[in-house]
Amino acid sequence: MNNPHRRQFLGRSLGVAHVAMASVLLPGTARAFAPESANGARRLSFNHLHTRERTALVYAVGGDFVQPALTHLNHFLRDHYSGEVGQMDPELYHVLHRVRRELGTELPFHVISGYRSPHTNETLRTTRGGGVARRSLHMDGKAIDVRLPGVPLTDLRDAAISLQAGGVGFYGREDFVHIDTGRVRSWG
């Protein structure tokens, strides 16, 4: 039973499992690492401005997402008002990774908002004088509001728009850029 396809599958599976094991978070550190040798490892790092949490991790290797990293990011990007954890769209991480590459930086994204529960979204929509969509993609885990310290907000916006990977909103007064995996459009 010397099946070369099975050996390739097992070898690749072991590689992903190795990265996943290396991505286990240590209490208090909120960091996940993969070996530098992990071929095609894609890393992201975040500082959440409301929860004061920080994380850095490998979210994908080659074409495969690292499930423990996705689970961690679902919790990390939870609704910071209610604590409700949503299911984030992993494609959003690809967009963020591409934005950082476009800008030539490894700086952590500063997160203003990730997942937003329908209740929180409605509360914000009706109490903040506008600016929150009735059917926000934050409720579907397909949107994030971020900035990159040291990177002009207009550069962040322009990099995201250049990818043509979804929606990009510019909120200069509030000091963030909205990035989502919805249809390609921009505003602000």
Side-chain angles (χ1 to χ4, degrees), residues 126-141:
T126 57
T127 61
R128 296 278 172 105
V132 175
R134 178 182 302 274
R135 190 62 201 113
S136 171
L137 290 177
H138 286 278
M139 297 187 300
D140 299 325

Side-chain angles (χ1 to χ4, degrees), residues 158-185:
D158 293 347
I161 288 172
S162 75
L163 300 176
Q164 295 290 293
V168 179
F170 181 75
Y171 296 87
R173 193 176 63 198
E174 295 84 356
D175 194 26
F176 70 84
V177 172
H178 167 100
I179 299 172
D180 69 49
T181 56
R183 63 183 171 79
V184 175
R185 68 216 186 284

Side-chain angles (χ1 to χ4, degrees), residues 25 30 54-57 67-77:
L25 299 175
R54 299 170 186 261
T55 195
L57 47 73
Q67 193 56 54
L70 298 182
T71 300
H72 170 70
L73 286 170
N74 284 339
H75 182 264
F76 183 84
L77 295 171

Side-chain angles (χ1 to χ4, degrees), residues 41-141:
R42 284 180 254 164
R43 295 172 174 78
L44 284 172
S45 55
F46 300 96
N47 296 343
H48 199 297
L49 300 181
H50 294 286
T51 65
R52 304 284 185 233
E53 295 169 326
R54 299 170 186 261
T55 195
L57 47 73
V58 170
Y59 74 91
V61 177
D64 299 314
F65 289 108
V66 178
Q67 193 56 54
L70 298 182
T71 300
H72 170 70
L73 286 170
N74 284 339
H75 182 264
F76 183 84
L77 295 171
R78 68 194 176 277
D79 181 330
H80 64 271
Y81 291 97
S82 69
E84 187 176 326
V85 175
Q87 186 78 26
M88 297 300 292
D89 178 3
E91 293 301 320
L92 188 59
Y93 307 132
H94 283 328
V95 174
L96 294 173
H97 185 263
R98 290 174 59 203
V99 164
R100 279 199 342 181
R101 285 184 46 200
E102 184 77 18
L103 292 167
T105 183
E106 291 294 317
L107 291 169
F109 283 100
H110 284 189
V111 176
I112 288 84
S113 183
Y115 172 74
R116 206 182 289 150
S117 73
H119 175 74
T120 295
N121 195 76
E122 184 61 16
T123 299
L124 293 175
R125 193 181 73 73
T126 57
T127 61
R128 296 278 172 105
V132 175
R134 178 182 302 274
R135 190 62 201 113
S136 171
L137 290 177
H138 286 278
M139 297 187 300
D140 299 325

Side-chain angles (χ1 to χ4, degrees), residues 7-18 64:
R7 280 197 312 271
Q8 280 180 326
F9 171 78
L10 290 174
R12 187 170 186 193
S13 296
L14 287 173
V16 171
H18 184 253
D64 299 314

